[in-house]
Amino acid sequence: VPSAIRLQREYGDDLVVLLVEVQGSKTDAITKLQLGAKWLGTQAMWTSERPFRVPSGGKIPHFALLDPQGRVALMGLNGRLHSQIVEQIESMVQGRKKASKELTPAVAKAEVKMRNGDFGVAYRAANKLLATTPRKDAERVTTEATQLRDLVVTRATGAVDRIEWMAFNGYANQAKDALDDLSQALKGIEDLETRLSQISVQLKSKEMAQELAAARKIAKLEQKLYADPGASFRKSFEKLNQAFAGTKAAERAAYWMQVLPE
Amino acid sequence: MRSIISVLVSTAILGLAPQLAAQISLGDSPEFTFRQDVQNGMGIKSLAELQGKPVLIDFWGTR
């Protein structure tokens, strides 16, 4: 776990780290361990659901590294393969900046835009290619541009889904911060622009003001807790839970009240 | 006779046991839908939603 967390801190947005607890421990026990070891506060995700099995001879920790297309690129026992894990991640991160040689150059250029999160630019480029393919490789370009456009819509929809989830599940502050950037990145994908602007309107509504204030407060409190898990924050979460009763952040505060010592 | 009983018992146990996650090989594209919220996952529901970036999946234990 510590090396996975280090990699998450180092690579930030360029890497997804998913930590899977495989011994069936209870959530409270896992949370206490995470806090004590200062493993929280990064983008790393955690679950107790094992998505698949890696041949490991029953030993833990073990890992699987998936490439950006979702294929298993490396797997095994962590310690033995640590330098290979780092090498492959670095190569994948650098590779995402380069145009694919498997695609026609124009589509490859648009694909790089998608990988950088410029969904609207990639979408418009794919549409332009579909509208103007008079060349001899028209059929190939049409197929590739159609696939790219579909993929752009899937990825961009995923990004909007994340913001929507954050907005209504206790992370409204983060949703608000991410919304403006994504709104720029979606220009030209009308359905998603509309969906995003509806979320934006809801976030600015009177009904959401309390959720937004609560989300800001709990985010700050959690950062303090992650940095100094030994300090007593139980009372602060209790206050928040009472002051913002009925909000999603208050529900989260109630969980912390249950986990943290009196 | 004993071996037949043993096979029947094993089959019954396997039939009742919860389905184990599939074992993967290099080059596979594993699919999985989470049944519960992924902590810090901001609503992600499946491995497919993580595509687009390298994904390091670390299997660990608390004991």
Side-chain angles (χ1 to χ4, degrees), chain A residues 1 13-23 25 33-34 42-46 49 51-53 55 61-66 68 70-73 75 78 92 96 155 162 165, chain B residues 20-45 47-63:
Chain A
V1 178
D13 273 341
D14 288 332
L15 174 69
V16 176
V17 172
L18 176 65
L19 295 126
V20 183
E21 202 280 333
V22 293
Q23 291 181 320
S25 292
L33 188 66
Q34 290 168 324
T42 74
Q43 290 141 297
M45 302 174 190
W46 304 78
E49 290 182 67
F52 49 75
R53 286 179 182 271
H62 53 263
F63 77 97
L65 177 63
L66 310 185
R71 297 171 300 216
V72 181
M75 61 182 178
N78 298 36
M92 287 175 195
R96 285 181 72 235
R155 296 264 165 88
R162 290 290 81 70
W165 189 92
Chain B
L20 289 176
Q23 186 157 304
I24 50 155
S25 305
L26 284 176
D28 284 354
S29 300
E31 289 177 14
F32 186 75
T33 302
F34 296 99
R35 291 181 299 272
Q36 291 164 2
D37 279 350
V38 173
Q39 186 189 349
N40 211 24
M42 302 299 163
I44 71 136
K45 297 271 187 293
L47 281 185
E49 292 173 52
L50 303 176
Q51 283 182 22
K53 295 174 185 179
V55 180
L56 177 62
I57 305 181
D58 194 68
F59 299 85
W60 67 289
T62 48
R63 287 170 254 152

Side-chain angles (χ1 to χ4, degrees), chain A residues 28 31-32 35-36 225 228-238 255-262:
Chain A
D28 289 9
T31 305
K32 282 173 188 162
L35 273 178
L225 172 69
D228 188 8
S232 177
F233 288 105
R234 198 180 180 285
K235 278 221 161 8
S236 308
F237 282 110
E238 207 174 315
Y255 175 72
W256 287 119
M257 286 157 60
Q258 178 192 315
V259 172
L260 297 173
E262 294 274 347

